Amino acid sequence: MPLASEAAPAVRTEVDLGRGLRLKNRVLVASGTFAYADTVGELVDVSRLGGVVTKAISLEPREGNPPPRIVEVPGGLLNAIGLANVGARAFVRDKLPRLRQLDTAIVVNVVGFCVEDYVRLVRFLDEHEGIDAYEVNLSCPNVKEGGACFADDPMMTRQVVRALRPVTDRHLMIKLSPNVARIGQIARICEEEGADSVSLINTLVGMAVDVRTRRPKLANVTGGYSGPAIKPVALAKVWEAYRAVRIPIIGIGGIMSAEDALEFLLVGAQAVQVGTGTFVIPDLAVRIVEGMEAYARSEGLRDIGELVGALRI
Ligand SMILES: Cc1cc2nc3c(=O)[nH]c(=O)nc-3n(C[C@H](O)[C@H](O)[C@H](O)COP(=O)(O)O)c2cc1C
């Protein structure tokens, strides 16, 4: 009788997303929901993850918005953290040395308030070892263009990617917002300007009101909606992007189980990120890695990548 491990051939889980971003499996934790991988302690074996995406980093430290800045709503969360972070210098001094010890890919989420901010930030981070990729967060206001959000505007998206491409040889993953009419068009602009991948979706704009006080539940009035309720929106956006570009897509939005993650692969994502779900189950992303492998074995797959875009219509 063969041992169980001999009977079931190993499933290939690794994926190479290009320009140095190689993942041991297709599951990462999403920006803003895993801090700098320094708050989970013993709860999560980070070496089991395909990668960690850090909280957004800006050139200068940011306090973020006043509280309350997180509120639970049906189907998920609203957050208006306001990109609170330690700033680039403290990040490389205090966070990066520990992050680069981890046996997983490190993706640094970068944010700016004008094109030049992004360029200066990536140029600065590029001088430091231990970063596998940048995830460019465009869901923030461009203060030089009247506060319009970069991600909502095809031209401003193009300007950022065009400015960043010559600055780094590292993998550039552009994070797209769902709050646009045609996400496929924006994904194509990223591809044209030399992005290595696109990740989507960031949060949807949402709001909640306390009827007793007649006040918004978030001090910032509106916030970003995340969690299980946004998964159908995210799947449709990934599917739209998949039909528009050839660069890898990383699917994000409401993933709470291995089955959810597999849905994203079927509609075209090469990998996924788990966000809000980690607040409910700290090691959810590791459980999803295991669940995806179990599914692949039960389906007789040699490589989980066989599922990418394998949607039957
Ligand atoms: C509390 C919180 C903070 C977040 N901070 C960031 C951030 O700093 N940068 C970013 O690109 N996305 C940020 N996001 C968005 C997530 O990375 C993710 O795109 C979104 O929440 C959808 O995934 P989910 O439904 O699995 O949470 C944040 C989300 C939450 C809930």
Side-chain angles (χ1 to χ4, degrees), residues 226-240:
S226 65
I230 74 167
K231 191 189 75 178
V233 178
L235 283 169
K237 298 285 183 192
V238 168
W239 172 237
E240 185 183 336

Side-chain angles (χ1 to χ4, degrees), residues 119-245:
V119 170
R120 286 174 53 209
L121 177 57
V122 168
R123 209 171 258 149
F124 172 75
L125 293 172
D126 240 37
E127 291 169 9
H128 300 271
E129 299 284 309
I131 298 172
D132 296 287
Y134 301 109
E135 181 178 58
V136 181
N137 178 5
L138 297 172
S139 295
C140 47
N142 182 346
V143 292
K144 293 207 174 149
E145 298 286 343
C149 176
F150 285 96
D152 296 354
D153 184 299
M155 272 313 296
M156 293 200 308
T157 300
R158 189 185 288 284
Q159 281 169 9
V160 175
V161 186
R162 183 172 288 180
L164 283 180
R165 184 65 285 169
V167 171
T168 182
D169 286 329
R170 286 182 175 151
H171 185 107
L172 275 180
M173 177 186 298
I174 313 298
K175 187 161 182 180
L176 306 184
S177 161
N179 306 308
V180 296
R182 290 192 290 151
I183 207 163
Q185 179 204 19
I186 298 195
R188 199 170 309 119
I189 285 170
C190 296
E191 181 176 55
E192 282 167 11
E193 297 299 336
D196 300 297
S197 63
V198 284
S199 56
L200 57 144
I201 56 176
N202 210 320
T203 51
L204 288 143
V205 176
M207 187 169 172
V209 178
D210 182 332
V211 294
R212 280 168 294 115
T213 60
R214 304 188 185 183
R215 297 173 69 84
K217 289 189 177 173
L218 289 172
N220 190 57
V221 183
T222 61
Y225 191 23
S226 65
I230 74 167
K231 191 189 75 178
V233 178
L235 283 169
K237 298 285 183 192
V238 168
W239 172 237
E240 185 183 336
Y242 180 64
R243 284 173 297 159
V245 296

